[in-house]
Amino acid sequence: MKKQPLLILVVFFILGIVFQDKMVLAGAAFYLVIGVCFAVLIAICFHSYFLHKTKVVLLALLFFGTGIILHHYNTSAEDVYSSLSKKETVTFKISQKLNSTEKYKKYEGIVQVGNANLNSILYIPKDVKELDFIHYYKGEAYITKPKAPEHDFQFNYVQYLKRKHIDEQIYFSKEIVSAERNDLTLADQLRQYRFTALNRIDKTPISEKTKEFLKGIILADRTEIDAGTVQDFNKSGLVHFLAISGTHIVVIFGMFYFLLIRFIPLQFRKYAVILSLVFIWLFAAFIGFGNSVLRSCIMLNVYFVFILLQRKPDLLHSLALSAFLILMGDTQQLFDVGFQLSFLAVLGIYWLNQPLLKLFPKQDHYLKKILFNTITISLSAQLATLPLVLYYFHQFSFISIIANFVIVPFSEIIIVFSFIMTAFVACGIDFGLLNKVYDFVIQILLKVIHWFAEVDFLFFENISMNGFEVLSVLMIVYLLRPVVLKFNFKYMMRLTMAIIAFLMIRIGSNIFENQKEEVLIYSLGKSKVFSVKRRDKVCFWISDMEDKAKILRYIINPYCSSRRVDYFEIKSLPSSSQKVVFRDQVYDLK
């Protein structure tokens, strides 16, 4: 507690959030928590020998209770939809553009229906022109709630939207009218300027894939990237390259700082740091405050506050403070996959980077230092995030390790080049030669990434991973540091025991799942799917083979990873089938 008090208190704050999310305290129990927190807060203000000895426990209890209270208010929301009819004429404004579907453009927006304001997902027909942030829109819409998943292994879209404080999906007809807004906030103006910059990129004479890459890597807009490119980044383990994260923020901060010190005298160098931090926050506001962006900005600010105050910077203090500030604003962010991966990656770098770096030859040259640090940082982050990647996405490619070693060293150059391109395009400056060079470089980059993604024999999917396995693998990563720093029998035995514990949990989980037999019926659109599972094998009967790719993605793969199935086969089910008889039991397919 003496070494990392803030980190430990934030851990208790997070435990309080998780406790409230699972237990859902309400009524008298919730008010009891408020009373206890208030009593603890008063007790901490008094001075006595007993309170001094128990102050650490009281502070931990206070942060735990605060997590419960804040998460209670973040999850308590009035259900406005129950008082609405399904078809309504609504007025709305958009707040964020989302990934499009085959039929619709998707937006997140605020919809006004009567006296109610709903934060909703908006589905706009694709032939309607692009919506902006400086207009109100009005149209007839069909209001509906998202459907809960039929089975436990399917993605819970209802819970996902609820954590984003969204309860409704609204589908609009083609008749949409607009009126210019007169209540624009600074945030709206920044979103609109970003929207203008994105449109100017669309008009730039470079290839479509390069345009989408440029919009994603600098302006955090990946809504129109084609499915093939996204799959290449996912399979090669380089999807983090597109997400605005710590690397982007640090590189852009370095650009601003490099330019400012050319004009500011040496004695005022600290003002160059302050101005660079201001520019970073403006940039973060311009592209939208994502989790990784916000975390990176806060950590960078805390780090340089330590520097400016001439105190030794502490990475864990910075990490804990950024997590606390983000969760104070919205406790639901804790359950966001990006939030978890972002913070776990930084913890992995803190825990493993220096020990791994000591295994390399002495960094007596700038290029060696850059190369070795790139490799160890990438490996540390991948090891730390691997358990969660397998838990959420059930896939991993060993080629991602090599791909990161090859691509990441050039990431700073790509980010700087992309930022300069974006700045020129946003300002309406067109350099034909620069466009051609950038297009050429990015096309080569995308081809290299595609080549890595095509190495299928190193790509594994439908990997099962439950919570206990995640914790056991994280323990292995934790125990890896002392083994790397000082290889001896004691540390090696601890690591070996952790590995054995993981294998026992995994084998036990596999045996438990393989003993089950299961018959299920699913629906995906108009397609019906019937499955029979016996031990580690399952057979799927599909009524419409044209939807095979979608069924494979949304039903078969999630089922296999959830039930730890090693072998599956797909058979055709007549589309006219109404019922299925299996083992003298009738299953209705209607």
Side-chain angles (χ1 to χ4, degrees), residues 404-465:
N404 275 275
F405 292 165
V406 174
I407 301 297
V408 171
F410 301 99
S411 61
E412 293 185 15
I413 299 172
I414 298 297
I415 292 169
V416 171
F417 198 178
S418 300
F419 187 86
I420 293 171
M421 273 290 297
T422 305
F424 283 154
V425 172
C427 295
I429 302 172
D430 184 14
F431 287 114
L433 179 61
L434 187 66
N435 293 340
K436 291 179 181 179
V437 172
Y438 183 77
D439 195 13
F440 176 75
V441 170
I442 300 305
Q443 285 299 310
I444 291 177
L445 175 68
L446 294 177
K447 287 178 181 178
V448 172
I449 293 172
H450 179 69
W451 183 84
F452 281 121
E454 284 192 318
V455 185
D456 289 331
F457 70 94
L458 292 176
F459 179 74
F460 301 90
E461 57 183 347
N462 298 338
I463 303 172
S464 305
M465 182 73 71

Side-chain angles (χ1 to χ4, degrees), residues 133-296:
F133 300 91
I134 59 174
H135 286 86
Y136 280 112
Y137 297 93
K138 187 176 183 179
E140 189 176 79
Y142 181 82
I143 304 174
T144 181
K145 279 186 174 294
K147 293 182 180 179
E150 293 180 295
H151 305 286
D152 59 346
F153 63 87
Q154 293 176 297
F155 176 65
N156 194 336
Y157 192 57
V158 176
Q159 186 181 56
Y160 170 77
L161 291 181
K162 198 168 185 179
R163 294 203 184 281
K164 293 170 69 68
H165 309 288
I166 296 171
D167 290 313
E168 291 79 27
Q169 293 175 298
I170 304 182
Y171 294 81
F172 285 86
S173 64
K174 297 179 182 180
E175 302 290 333
I176 296 178
V177 296
S178 62
E180 193 166 344
R181 292 175 56 184
N182 56 6
D183 59 347
L184 291 176
T185 63
L186 178 60
D188 292 325
Q189 293 174 7
L190 286 172
R191 291 190 192 107
Q192 182 60 28
Y193 191 74
R194 174 174 172 267
F195 176 77
T196 304
L198 291 170
N199 286 338
R200 287 178 177 174
I201 290 176
D202 284 331
K203 297 175 183 177
T204 305
I206 53 180
S207 64
E208 289 300 320
K209 286 191 175 182
T210 303
K211 290 177 186 177
E212 302 309 329
F213 177 85
L214 179 58
K215 290 191 286 186
I217 195 172
I218 297 298
L219 296 178
D221 183 346
R222 294 186 286 169
T223 58
E224 301 299 334
I225 296 181
D226 67 277
T229 302
V230 173
Q231 187 179 22
D232 287 345
F233 275 93
N234 284 328
K235 292 183 70 173
S236 62
L238 290 166
V239 70
H240 63 86
F241 191 53
L242 278 178
I244 306 293
S245 60
T247 303
H248 297 72
I249 297 300
V250 170
V251 169
I252 295 170
F253 171 87
M255 286 178 57
F256 287 135
Y257 182 73
F258 177 80
L259 293 173
L260 287 171
I261 60 175
R262 295 293 180 271
F263 303 101
I264 295 178
L266 184 62
Q267 61 269 31
F268 300 113
R269 188 62 56 87
K270 65 179 181 180
Y271 295 108
V273 174
I274 295 171
L275 286 173
S276 298
L277 292 175
V278 171
F279 285 135
I280 283 298
W281 280 107
L282 290 174
F283 174 73
F286 181 69
I287 64 173
F289 289 109
N291 284 330
S292 58
V293 174
L294 198 57
R295 186 262 306 163
S296 303

Side-chain angles (χ1 to χ4, degrees), residues 3 19 25 30 54 65 68 160 164 173 202 212 223 305 308 313 391 401 411 440 458 514 561 586:
K3 291 184 178 180
F19 181 83
L25 296 183
F30 175 70
T54 59
I68 292 175
Y160 170 77
K164 293 170 69 68
S173 64
D202 284 331
E212 302 309 329
T223 58
V305 165
L308 293 173
Y391 179 74
I401 299 172
S411 61
F440 176 75
L458 292 176
N514 290 339
S561 59
V586 180

Side-chain angles (χ1 to χ4, degrees), residues 285-417:
F286 181 69
I287 64 173
F289 289 109
N291 284 330
S292 58
V293 174
L294 198 57
R295 186 262 306 163
S296 303
C297 288
I298 293 174
M299 286 189 63
L300 200 64
N301 274 261
V302 173
Y303 176 85
F304 279 105
V305 165
F306 278 104
I307 295 294
L308 293 173
L309 294 176
Q310 298 182 346
R311 297 186 63 181
K312 184 179 178 181
D314 191 304
L315 179 63
L316 292 183
H317 272 79
S318 304
L319 191 69
L321 183 59
S322 59
F324 184 66
L325 292 175
I326 292 172
L327 295 176
M328 283 286 287
D330 182 9
T331 54
Q332 295 286 4
Q333 295 290 338
L334 177 64
F335 305 97
D336 182 81
V337 179
F339 177 95
Q340 296 173 17
L341 291 176
S342 175
F343 281 87
L344 200 57
V346 176
L347 283 173
I349 293 169
Y350 167 82
W351 191 246
L352 291 176
N353 182 49
Q354 288 303 319
L356 290 176
L357 203 57
K358 291 181 179 180
L359 299 178
F360 285 81
K362 185 178 180 181
Q363 296 105 60
D364 52 0
H365 191 273
Y366 178 76
L367 289 178
K368 284 185 179 180
K369 186 177 180 181
I370 292 294
L371 179 61
F372 296 160
N373 271 277
T374 300
I375 293 173
T376 55
I377 288 173
S378 176
L379 188 58
S380 301
Q382 287 191 71
L383 285 172
T385 57
L386 179 61
L388 281 188
V389 169
L390 296 179
Y391 179 74
Y392 286 116
F393 305 110
H394 309 293
Q395 62 182 33
F396 179 73
S397 176
F398 283 101
I399 200 66
S400 66
I401 299 172
I402 302 171
N404 275 275
F405 292 165
V406 174
I407 301 297
V408 171
F410 301 99
S411 61
E412 293 185 15
I413 299 172
I414 298 297
I415 292 169
V416 171
F417 198 178

